[in-house]
Amino acid sequence: MRPAAETLDGLDRAAITAWLREREEAAFEVLWARADDVRRERVGDAVHLRGLIEISNYCVRKCVYCGIAACAGPLPRYRMTRDEILACARKGRDLGFGTLVLQGGEDPGMTGPFVADVVRAITRETGAAVTLSLGERSDADLRAWRDAGAERYLLRFETTDPVLYRRIHPDLPGTVSDRIAQLVRMRDMGYEIGTGVMVGIPGQTWDSLANDIWTSREYDMDMIGIGPYLASPDTPLAGPLRDELMAPPDRQVPNDELTTLKALALTRLVCPDTNIPSTTALSILDPSAGRAHGLTRGANVVMPNLTPPEYRVLYQIYPGKAAVHETVDDLAHSVIALIDRLGRTVGSGPGSALGRG
Ligand code: SAM
């Protein structure tokens, strides 16, 4: 029986869990339609394009899931120069992107002053809003980058289950990783904060995923990225650790497209004004329709990749990500064509969740 759409009003944690576990196909149509309606009413038809520049694949972290972690490999490492990053940024400007995202592994070689200088140069030359996603950095670096003009920071908290978090995201020696605390401090510094989770990471239960969605609401996150976990070869989680971490079958969240889309749609319902990307990982799971499904089930952001192909191929956080045979123009134009096909518009300006653009 098709559940009433009203059961999607005033969702609490238990109702989110029930909806995540829902298996009735007719129910999904109700969820998709409501998520799409709320997206249209609250953030409109514009799809904001954020040009992604993957500036370094060096990383000191040993996240057991990630293909560029220090424990992954063997992998040739790269760090883009100032000129290379600026060339990508100009390309993004020429393609009309209002926001540029500099992402990388947690790389002390990308020093505080270097990144601050690059942020200043990009802001001056392109006028684009700069988002950073460079992992857990010192407050001094984060403040310096904010002073240099960076407006947003993306840092996924990955999971709210503290035991699972320690297993998949080990602390660096002498430090304790607390990504939610960093997000809160960054908000106090004046950043818009973006976060998110992986769906279906081994050990993730239905209750913990529901709690992740709820936590994004409690912290009023400005952007929330929801993508499937994709097993990456040569990482600890692709080996025996996977079976060690897996929850019992009736509690383990699968890393499939349907569950990811349910999590995305429910996030739109409980965080109606936030920016939600249709993630690359979703389009890897379903190359022909994953991105479109994300956009029609709650998402309003896409992050086309501006990284030159020779570096893109080395930023394989999971397999299939690189789209190495496609040029930056191909990638951007296929996203714009999709937005057009869906009857949506390409957002202009920075597309801030705080209404600044
Ligand atoms: N170093 C920065 C950080 O940790 O936030 C940014 C780069 S990190 C590679 C970006 C995101 O990629 C992570 O937050 C994680 O959610 C996602 N990711 C990493 N490995 C993944 C995998 N195997 N499947 C899906 N997503 C993955």
Side-chain angles (χ1 to χ4, degrees):
M1 201 189 64
R2 181 180 282 240
E6 291 68 47
T7 61
L8 285 165
D9 295 334
L11 288 167
D12 60 12
R13 240 179 289 225
I16 294 171
T17 307
W19 269 96
L20 286 171
R21 301 189 75 137
E22 176 65 58
R23 290 172 170 207
E24 185 67 48
E25 289 231 3
F28 306 150
E29 298 308 320
V30 175
L31 177 58
W32 309 149
R34 181 57 73 99
D36 201 35
D37 284 348
V38 170
R39 187 269 310 151
R40 188 177 310 107
E41 283 158 22
R42 302 296 285 257
V43 294
D45 277 335
V47 177
H48 299 288
L49 301 181
R50 323 280 205 217
L52 180 66
I53 310 172
E54 294 157 335
I55 63 175
S56 165
N57 74 348
Y58 282 90
C59 191
V60 292
R61 290 266 161 198
K62 295 186 175 169
C63 305
V64 298
Y65 45 83
C66 182
I68 64 163
C71 56
L75 180 71
R77 302 284 174 168
Y78 73 88
R79 199 174 274 137
M80 286 171 69
T81 65
R82 181 184 194 276
D83 285 350
E84 288 172 327
I85 300 170
L86 278 174
C88 293
R90 284 185 210 108
K91 181 81 201 168
R93 175 200 59 198
D94 296 346
L95 287 163
F97 298 166
T99 296
L100 299 168
V101 183
L102 307 189
Q103 191 183 81
E106 207 168 298
D107 175 13
M110 284 281 167
T111 66
F114 174 84
V115 174
D117 174 52
V118 169
V119 169
R120 259 185 238 105
I122 292 179
T123 313
R124 196 173 47 236
E125 277 203 35
T126 69
V130 176
T131 299
L132 298 175
S133 179
L134 301 173
E136 294 161 62
R137 300 287 300 231
S138 70
D139 283 4
D141 283 349
L142 296 168
R143 270 201 202 91
W145 299 343
R146 178 77 191 103
D147 291 344
E151 293 190 28
R152 308 180 184 137
Y153 204 98
L154 299 182
L155 188 75
R156 289 185 173 186
F157 58 69
E158 316 292 6
T159 172
T160 49
D161 174 338
V163 176
L164 180 60
Y165 182 69
R166 297 265 160 264
R167 294 301 305 273
I168 63 172
H169 185 93
D171 290 331
L172 289 179
T175 65
V176 176
S177 167
D178 187 340
R179 290 189 154 213
I180 293 189
Q182 179 178 325
L183 284 160
V184 170
R185 290 199 304 280
M186 289 190 297
R187 170 167 280 164
D188 290 344
M189 292 175 199
Y191 282 101
E192 278 185 46
I193 51 172
T195 193
V197 295
M198 282 171 286
V199 172
I201 191 131
Q204 183 183 57
T205 63
W206 297 108
D207 287 336
S208 84
L209 179 56
N211 196 49
D212 296 344
I213 294 172
W214 194 253
T215 300
S216 296
R217 174 194 171 92
E218 283 182 333
Y219 284 90
D220 193 19
M221 298 295 181
D222 300 307
M223 172 152 156
I224 304 164
I226 311 258
Y229 160 68
L230 299 172
S232 189
D234 299 320
T235 58
L237 202 52
L241 182 63
R242 172 187 179 276
D243 293 339
E244 197 190 312
L245 290 184
M246 285 295 270
D250 63 322
R251 300 184 62 217
Q252 172 66 47
V253 172
N255 61 336
D256 59 18
E257 184 183 10
L258 176 62
T259 312
T260 306
L261 289 169
K262 283 197 262 179
L264 192 159
L266 290 161
T267 301
R268 171 58 67 204
L269 296 181
V270 299
C271 308
D273 300 319
T274 197
N275 281 318
I276 301 180
S278 184
T279 57
T280 304
L282 198 48
S283 65
I284 300 292
L285 264 191
D286 179 354
S288 64
R291 182 152 278 156
H293 285 158
L295 285 172
T296 52
R297 287 151 198 201
N300 68 324
V301 170
V302 176
M303 296 167 66
N305 202 324
L306 292 171
T307 313
E310 67 270 26
Y311 293 134
R312 216 187 299 154
V313 73
L314 299 176
Y315 199 87
Q316 290 264 24
I317 54 183
Y318 44 75
K321 193 190 140 289
V324 273
H325 302 300
E326 289 180 274
T327 65
V328 164
D329 289 279
D330 293 339
L331 292 172
H333 290 135
S334 71
V335 167
I336 291 167
L338 171 65
I339 293 168
D340 202 41
R341 267 202 311 282
L342 295 175
R344 305 269 284 274
T345 54
V346 174
S348 57
S352 159
L354 303 180
R356 279 205 300 271

